[in-house]
Amino acid sequence: MNSTLLANLNPPQLQAVTLPHQSALILAGAGSGKTRVLTTRIAYLVSHDGVPANRILAVTFTNKAAKEMLTRLTSMLPIHPQGLWIGTFHGLCNRLLRTHYYEANLPKTFQILDSSDQLSAIKRLMKLMNVDDEKYPPRDVANFINRHKEQGQRAAEADTFSVHDKQKAAIFAEYDLQCQREGVVDFAELMLRCYELLSRNAELREHYQARFQHILVDEFQDTNKLQYQWLKLLAGTKNALFAVGDDDQSIYAFRGADVGNMRELTRDFHVETVIKLEQNYRSHGNILDAANALIQNNRNRMGKNLWTAADGGEPIRVYEAPNDVEEAGYIVGEIQQLHREGMDLKDIALLYRSNAQSRVLEHALVSAGLAYRVHGGLRFFDRLEIKHTLAYLRLMENTDDDNALLRIINFPTRGIGARSIEQLQEVAIQQGTTLWDAAARAGGKVTAFVALIESMRNAARSLSLPETIAHVLQHSGLRALYENETGAKRAEAQERLANLEELGNAAVLFVHENEDDSLTSFLTHASLESGEHQAGDQDDALHLMTVHAAKGLEFHAVFISGLEEGLFPHQNSQREASGVDEERRLMYVAITRARQRLYLSFAQSRMLHGKVNYGVASCFLEELPEELLHWITPKRTAFAPTFTPQNNPFAAYVSPVSRPVPTPPRNQRAMASSTQRTVSGTEWRIGQSVTHAKFGDGVIVNLESSGADARVQVKFRTAGVKWLALEYAKLTAV
Ligand code: ATP
Ligand code: MG
């Protein structure tokens, strides 16, 4: 055995890693070595106990975590752990169902419905069943179905306490039949179907139970009921379930995660000793004290202490900015300082609660010439199939977008040849119009293309963002194009298809994390996230991400920005009883990512989605012990913005709104922003497409100042990002 394998473990860690073949729960706070223990245990089982790698199943929370764990393991072991299964719950269920599709009563090529596909399927069905979608919003029906599936229940077992529930249960039953007919499964179904397969089919169950003697689960606090039942089935009576988790880091209750699973695990698996790891190896004392103090405000904790041998270290710096632009400026200045002092950019993370917040930060970073990388599901905007899909969306938003039109007029091929396209271009030049105008007057297949885009635009008016994307993929023929690929190109097509699915997921996440989930806002986001400013994998670059995406990671320095009421804690959380507690756990996750330096900041006013919001400091700041903090700006006892609508430089541009920002009904939202004017008397708004005589087409990505000095920042498609004085810029709205 590799002799250094156990050398760097403390006694309880060592105990956990070397436990005999029995189930265990490692309940421990952030940075106490849970993931390290889990990985080391796999290596120990293989190299010390001689357990064949194919007897081990490891479940992690993201594909990225799975990949990292495999890399770590490979470095600890003399040979590659052949046959080890490691992945996410959904990934592993998919793998099992693909192998046993016949037994699971699925077609070999079953497709996976993402949440927007699922919604469309439900809508379609409800129409057939003549169910009033005002009385039964399809989204509620989808939630009803998923909630039950996540509890392991089918329509027959669904709640039918009210007439309402009875109707939903009836749709649920029909929906499952429809999915079965069409050979598709939704996300929750992947899990449930796999669970049912194993529970019904004794032969298969016994086969896998005999195979996976060791089942290890990281981030156990975020498993839902069904996932836990699935684990129980695989574990049977003989196998060992080794779960590590932290109840204080449960941040997916909104997706049905159930911390109660930890208590059940100790009972169901007769766990005699819950191993607690209490030494934190990640953070300096002040950071850890702050995290401990914060989380104490939560109710229903399992309770554990976390200490560190490290000294207090630097105080936590707190900065109050008059507005978000200045907040970003402060952060960039500090990052430059750390960098000058010798810290690598890759050891620094800049975190925010919602994706929309990254925009201002990104601009400040670009202006300062700092390399950064945005993490999360949206890193793939440069891939061909994504660009094509976005081109459809862009053209729908703005028919004058010639680049978008050229990209897709004959993609997928619809018989419009190069010659016809050239002719269109000639006509457009001659008549001084856009290609779209020229196309509208052309005949034949070009007319059909124009009609297609028009019909997509109409459809989008009543669809949410993920639905709009699903609609485009369906009606453009893009999905079918890749689905129908056979032969040598099939593997590549499958990958492209997966990316398209991923775009749907990105949209769902975007809707979840952003107040303004209009198509425009998504497109602006997409263009900002596209490769241009993204650092390469090898470069020394700063990490930008949402707090959710930072789970499990660590950095020397961490900046948590936008600590304002309504933003973090997020305003949605105030609606639910447990909401603020979950936000507090999220804040706990954020704080505990930091090793040496922690910076907290907030702004009195913030431009979000083209509007100025006036916020007050996050309640979480009040919960941190004063002696740990160093206020860069003087702390004010009663928080009152010094900037008012009257003296704020943004104010001439936009009418201030107070939180919470009212959200238009969903059916008006999808395309609302294309007509929205937020600046009285002017047309300019963030996300707006513009044309400049010299720089060409672009999108407004920022607005600044007022009166004669008004400036807009435009991201041009080819000329890069530029600030332009409105008075002189030859800018036309498109
Ligand atoms: P999180 O709750 O954030 O997922 P975790 O409990 O999984 O954290 P790890 O990421 O495994 O914690 O460990 C945190 C840091 O502490 C890592 O850098 C790890 O290498 C280090 N570490 C863990 N145990 C020890 C130890 N015994 N000696 C030195 N460093 C350790
Ligand atoms: Mg971990």
Side-chain angles (χ1 to χ4, degrees):
M1 188 183 67
N2 184 342
S3 61
T4 58
L5 195 61
L6 304 178
N8 294 320
L9 297 173
N10 66 29
Q13 288 179 333
L14 185 69
Q15 184 196 355
V17 167
T18 58
L19 275 178
H21 187 260
Q22 69 187 46
S23 291
L25 173 64
I26 318 299
L27 174 67
S32 58
K34 292 183 298 298
T35 303
R36 181 193 257 225
V37 160
L38 190 139
T39 316
T40 314
R41 176 154 174 91
I42 297 176
Y44 178 81
L45 289 172
V46 174
S47 61
H48 179 270
D49 290 353
V51 177
N54 67 3
R55 293 296 163 92
I56 301 174
L57 175 75
V59 191
T60 63
F61 210 73
T62 59
N63 290 322
K64 183 167 181 275
K67 229 193 233 160
E68 270 173 24
M69 198 172 279
L70 198 59
T71 316
R72 283 290 307 279
L73 263 177
T74 317
S75 73
M76 288 183 187
L77 291 170
I79 50 162
H80 189 82
Q82 206 70 36
L84 169 79
W85 276 32
I86 183 165
T88 62
F89 280 107
H90 284 121
L92 294 165
C93 285
N94 183 45
R95 183 167 180 175
L96 277 163
L97 291 176
R98 296 269 168 217
T99 316
H100 304 291
Y101 66 92
Y102 183 78
E103 291 87 343
N105 193 20
L106 285 169
K108 188 170 183 182
T109 55
F110 72 84
Q111 297 296 315
I112 299 169
L113 294 185
D114 64 19
S115 356
S116 60
D117 297 332
Q118 182 189 32
L119 205 58
S120 322
I122 291 171
K123 281 184 184 165
R124 185 154 49 87
L125 177 68
M126 284 173 58
K127 233 183 212 151
L128 268 178
M129 293 174 72
N130 261 330
V131 182
D132 180 357
D133 64 1
E134 300 243 315
K135 210 162 154 199
Y136 297 95
R139 224 166 260 277
D140 288 358
V141 176
N143 287 341
F144 181 88
I145 294 175
N146 294 339
R147 199 178 66 235
H148 281 95
K149 286 189 178 179
E150 275 155 13
Q151 304 278 335
Q153 294 171 327
R154 293 274 172 205
E157 295 124 353
D159 304 335
T160 47
F161 301 124
S162 63
V163 182
H164 233 75
D165 282 351
K166 275 201 182 104
Q167 176 64 277
K168 286 186 196 168
I171 304 172
F172 184 0
E174 281 302 315
Y175 165 79
D176 270 359
L177 289 174
Q178 172 177 295
C179 288
Q180 185 60 31
R181 266 196 314 275
E182 296 176 1
V184 293
V185 296
D186 57 48
F187 279 141
E189 182 74 23
L190 265 183
M191 265 317 300
L192 181 55
R193 187 63 78 99
C194 188
Y195 169 79
E196 288 173 345
L197 171 69
L198 292 172
S199 64
R200 263 200 335 256
N201 190 323
E203 206 179 323
L204 270 182
R205 182 174 66 246
E206 283 158 17
H207 168 79
Y208 283 103
Q209 283 177 347
R211 172 169 176 173
F212 295 127
Q213 295 168 346
H214 292 271
I215 301 170
L216 302 96
V217 192
D218 199 1
E219 310 271 7
F220 184 74
Q221 76 278 357
D222 279 323
T223 50
N224 66 30
K225 273 264 172 293
L226 181 59
Q227 289 164 338
Y228 178 56
Q229 295 304 327
W230 182 87
L231 287 169
K232 266 173 76 174
L233 263 191
L234 276 179
T237 51
K238 298 199 191 70
N239 298 327
L241 182 63
F242 186 93
V244 308
D246 178 4
D247 57 317
D248 290 332
Q249 293 187 70
S250 160
I251 54 175
Y252 281 94
F254 73 92
R255 281 196 206 152
D258 184 356
V259 179
N261 287 343
M262 292 195 152
R263 292 197 183 87
E264 295 210 2
L265 173 95
T266 49
R267 207 185 49 221
D268 295 344
F269 288 84
H270 312 293
V271 173
E272 274 153 28
T273 41
V274 173
I275 298 183
K276 295 194 175 183
L277 311 177
E278 305 202 307
Q279 180 169 5
N280 171 295
Y281 289 90
R282 182 179 291 149
S283 310
H284 276 176
N286 289 341
I287 296 171
L288 197 61
D289 288 349
N292 282 336
L294 177 94
I295 201 67
Q296 257 162 30
N297 293 297
N298 266 12
R299 299 153 289 179
N300 300 326
R301 298 178 58 220
M302 295 178 105
K304 49 194 157 6
N305 302 312
L306 210 52
W307 62 276
T308 174
D311 58 19
E314 293 282 323
I316 297 163
R317 288 171 172 73
V318 188
Y319 184 81
E320 173 181 355
N323 58 50
D324 50 353
V325 176
E326 297 202 26
E327 182 194 24
Y330 164 74
I331 292 172
V332 166
E334 288 296 321
I335 291 171
Q336 284 172 320
Q337 180 64 26
L338 291 173
H339 195 41
R340 271 196 298 275
E341 288 167 10
M343 195 180 284
D344 282 347
L345 291 176
K346 66 173 166 27
D347 291 327
I348 305 175
L350 174 43
L351 308 182
Y352 34 83
R353 172 66 179 82
S354 304
N355 265 316
Q357 289 168 248
S358 80
R359 183 182 51 76
V360 174
L361 300 167
E362 289 193 51
H363 289 307
L365 292 168
V366 172
S367 319
L370 285 173
Y372 67 91
R373 194 175 300 132
V374 180
H375 294 268
L378 301 173
R379 278 168 289 170
F380 54 92
F381 280 110
D382 282 337
R383 297 182 190 163
L384 195 71
E385 63 279 19
I386 300 298
K387 282 194 151 180
H388 280 124
T389 311
L390 292 177
Y392 277 95
L393 296 169
R394 286 204 334 251
L395 193 61
M396 287 158 62
E397 269 292 82
N398 166 24
T399 50
D400 295 348
D401 188 335
D402 285 356
N403 285 335
L405 183 141
L406 284 173
R407 182 178 270 281
I408 53 169
I409 187 167
N410 197 36
F411 194 91
T413 43
R414 43 178 75 88
I416 302 174
R419 183 65 205 123
S420 314
I421 297 172
E422 266 168 35
Q423 276 169 356
L424 269 188
Q425 285 174 305
E426 280 159 19
V427 172
I429 290 170
Q430 271 167 20
Q431 305 187 345
T433 65
T434 59
L435 285 174
W436 175 261
D437 288 339
R441 286 194 298 271
K445 290 178 174 143
V446 174
T447 311
F449 171 72
V450 170
L452 173 71
I453 300 295
E454 286 290 11
S455 79
M456 287 177 174
R457 300 179 77 188
N458 281 333
R461 285 197 183 96
S462 56
L463 296 176
S464 72
L465 177 64
E467 292 162 336
T468 303
I469 292 177
H471 182 92
V472 167
L473 292 178
Q474 188 66 27
H475 294 269
S476 63
L478 280 172
R479 175 173 285 153
L481 174 76
Y482 298 122
E483 270 173 359
N484 298 335
E485 194 71 66
T486 49
K489 282 199 153 174
R490 180 155 173 79
E492 183 193 308
Q494 287 300 320
E495 218 177 298
R496 293 195 189 281
L497 213 48
N499 283 335
L500 292 179
E501 300 284 356
E502 190 59 33
L503 184 65
N505 296 342
V508 172
L509 195 71
F510 185 81
V511 171
H512 180 73
E513 292 188 337
N514 293 277
E515 180 81 34
D516 175 4
D517 57 8
S518 66
L519 182 52
T520 317
S521 154
F522 184 66
L523 287 173
T524 307
H525 183 71
S527 58
L528 284 176
E529 287 235 5
S530 65
E532 218 165 306
H533 301 301
Q534 197 89 310
D537 272 356
Q538 306 304 320
D539 299 344
D540 179 32
L542 183 75
H543 302 273
L544 262 69
M545 65 191 97
T546 62
V547 182
H548 277 104
K551 186 162 119 155
L553 307 178
E554 61 187 15
F555 305 92
H556 286 325
V558 169
F559 291 79
I560 308 173
S561 62
L563 281 168
E564 293 136 40
E565 282 295 297
L567 208 54
F568 198 3
H570 196 271
Q571 65 187 54
N572 288 352
S573 70
Q574 270 126 26
R575 284 192 226 124
E576 302 139 27
S578 68
V580 176
D581 281 3
E582 174 139 327
E583 292 289 307
R584 194 176 283 108
R585 288 191 291 270
L586 199 54
M587 181 66 181
Y588 175 79
V589 168
I591 293 177
T592 54
R593 299 309 95 200
R595 295 180 122 165
Q596 300 160 3
R597 300 283 197 119
L598 180 63
Y599 298 81
L600 310 175
S601 58
F602 62 103
Q604 293 170 15
S605 70
R606 175 174 301 278
M607 182 80 118
L608 270 178
H609 327 304
K611 289 179 183 149
V612 169
N613 292 276
Y614 293 88
V616 298
S618 167
C619 60
F620 297 148
L621 281 169
E622 283 300 322
E623 294 176 10
L624 303 179
E626 208 43 59
E627 66 273 15
L628 305 175
L629 309 180
H630 170 58
W631 284 77
I632 307 290
T633 41
K635 185 185 181 196
R636 284 180 289 124
T637 36
F639 186 90
T642 51
F643 271 62
T644 63
Q646 281 70 42
N647 70 6
N648 190 289
F650 288 135
Y653 261 86
V654 286
S655 41
V657 286
S658 55
R659 288 167 199 278
V661 182
T663 315
R666 180 147 295 269
N667 59 1
Q668 290 172 23
R669 281 165 87 181
M671 306 290 275
S673 56
S674 60
T675 53
Q676 159 194 333
R677 292 184 186 205
T678 50
V679 185
S680 55
T682 85
E683 288 231 330
W684 311 117
R685 60 177 169 76
I686 289 175
Q688 179 169 29
S689 297
V690 290
T691 293
H692 184 271
K694 186 163 150 213
F695 303 126
D697 290 348
V699 180
I700 295 186
V701 292
N702 212 343
L703 296 163
E704 201 183 84
S705 188
S706 62
D709 298 328
R711 300 196 300 160
V712 289
Q713 193 179 31
V714 182
K715 178 170 170 153
F716 291 104
R717 211 154 284 143
T718 48
V721 181
K722 298 201 188 310
W723 278 106
L724 302 169
L726 268 180
E727 204 184 349
Y728 306 110
K730 295 191 178 60
L731 215 52
T732 332
V734 291

